[in-house]
Amino acid sequence: MRAADRSGSDPRLTDAIGLALAVAAMAACVTLVFLGMRAVMDVGGACADGGPYVSAQPCPDGVAAAMFLGIFGLFGSGALVWRYGSRIGEPFESLPFLAWPALFCSLGWNFLEYGLFAPPEGAGIVWSWLIPGILFELMGLVPLWGWIVAMRYARSAGSAGSAGSAGSAAGTVAKPLPGPRQPTRPPRPSTVAAAPAARKPTTAREAALSGLAASFGAAATLTAAQAKLGGGRAGADDLEGGPAAALVDRLEKLAHLREEGLLEDREYEAAKSVVLHELDALA
Amino acid sequence: MTIPRRGTWLLVIAGAGGGIWLGIRLFGWLSGTG
């Protein structure tokens, strides 16, 4: 996506102008709905036009067109804002989201003003407008707060990322990002050499490694004994029984453990080199 | 041709302000009061 490529770099002028025009259209739509609502509230809060019935309260002139243009225009202008904003990157990409708090906070203000600050003459506080006013403000402000937090988080993440790369070059340590703390991964049990004597094995993998290491110890002891008795002489007969066959058996076990996933490639290669070294000693 | 991001913000804010003005004018035209 182009946003990821262009985020952080200077946007093209045509994209910026397109974004500004789309934002203007979005703001105009919100304004139309805002003013249309006020016009309806001026005549009591409800009106109707058209249809086979005679309306008790016809709508003020232009309200129907303003509402139609405002509501449906919001969808179109929001899509345009997203289109141009995505070419530039965050936070411009998420600007269409601001249409929601802008709409609900402005409409909520209408409810609050007509219900609390400027109620109809002699009506006092109009609770039926005050309560939706509070609800509308909450519906607008809570998502707005979430958007601000998300943008601040994204900004700090971006700056920490760049500071991390720059800091590593300068020999400094970047500040860790806010967020859920990652559990500290326990150190992996060491492979063939340390497994048997360190502690009791707790997993199948550790048990396999422990047994393998014990076998290696036995094979090495046999190899040393044979070298001591036979003066290091070894031939083809030794491969059919004795230490050499045991070492070949170890190789097969190693391959089997790797196939089962109990040994990683690196561990397998290390263990295999030990076996081959023992075979070289026999030869 | 590119524009600095600060300039983009200014364009966006100007666009929002112009949009509000446009909405007021448009509603006045639709309602016959402006």
Side-chain angles (χ1 to χ4, degrees):
Chain A
M1 183 183 247
R2 296 178 63 181
D5 301 334
R6 296 182 60 82
S7 182
S9 60
D10 290 339
R12 291 190 304 184
L13 181 61
T14 51
D15 290 337
I17 291 176
L19 177 67
L21 292 177
V23 167
M26 200 166 72
C29 291
V30 173
T31 305
L32 281 177
V33 177
F34 173 80
L35 293 177
M37 176 182 172
R38 290 178 73 89
V40 173
M41 293 182 81
D42 282 336
V43 296
C47 65
D49 269 334
Y53 303 103
V54 176
S55 172
Q57 177 58 62
C59 288
D61 290 338
V63 165
M67 286 295 185
F68 183 85
L69 279 177
I71 292 173
F72 288 98
L74 265 179
F75 291 101
S77 58
L80 284 177
V81 171
W82 180 82
R83 181 187 180 216
Y84 288 106
S86 64
R87 293 183 177 183
I88 299 174
E90 289 293 359
F92 300 100
E93 188 174 7
S94 60
L95 280 182
F97 177 80
L98 292 183
W100 177 278
L103 183 66
F104 276 88
C105 286
S106 60
L107 300 188
W109 169 256
N110 280 343
F111 279 125
L112 291 178
E113 182 183 348
Y114 280 76
L116 188 63
F117 304 121
E121 200 162 331
I125 294 178
V126 184
W127 289 97
S128 58
W129 282 351
L130 187 60
I131 292 174
I134 295 171
L135 287 177
F136 269 51
E137 293 298 334
L138 287 176
M139 289 174 67
L141 291 176
V142 171
L144 177 63
W145 174 77
W147 182 82
I148 292 172
V149 169
M151 288 301 108
R152 290 183 65 180
Y153 181 84
R155 190 173 181 178
S156 64
S159 61
S162 57
S165 58
S168 60
T172 58
V173 178
K175 184 181 177 184
L177 292 176
R181 187 181 296 273
Q182 296 295 324
T184 304
R185 188 176 181 181
R188 295 189 55 192
S190 56
T191 55
V192 177
R199 57 184 168 80
K200 192 176 180 181
T202 55
T203 64
R205 182 177 183 276
E206 289 184 7
L209 292 176
S210 176
L212 189 66
S215 300
F216 271 114
T221 304
L222 282 173
T223 303
Q226 196 222 23
K228 202 170 186 178
L229 292 173
R233 182 184 56 84
D237 295 342
D238 293 330
L239 292 176
E240 297 174 359
L247 289 175
V248 172
D249 186 48
R250 300 287 89 74
L251 282 174
E252 292 174 349
K253 283 186 177 178
L254 282 174
H256 183 66
L257 287 172
R258 185 174 69 163
E259 288 174 0
E260 288 186 342
L262 294 172
L263 275 182
E264 295 178 356
D265 290 344
R266 177 178 53 82
E267 296 166 336
Y268 169 76
E269 293 298 334
K272 189 177 80 173
S273 67
V274 172
V275 177
L276 293 177
H277 179 72
E278 297 295 335
L279 279 174
D280 286 342
L282 283 176
Chain B
M1 184 177 181
T2 61
I3 180 175
R5 292 178 79 82
R6 187 182 297 271
T8 306
W9 274 118
L10 288 176
L11 273 178
V12 167
I13 293 171
I20 292 173
W21 174 83
L22 179 66
I24 293 173
R25 299 288 297 178
L26 192 57
F27 185 80
W29 177 70
L30 289 172
S31 63
T33 59

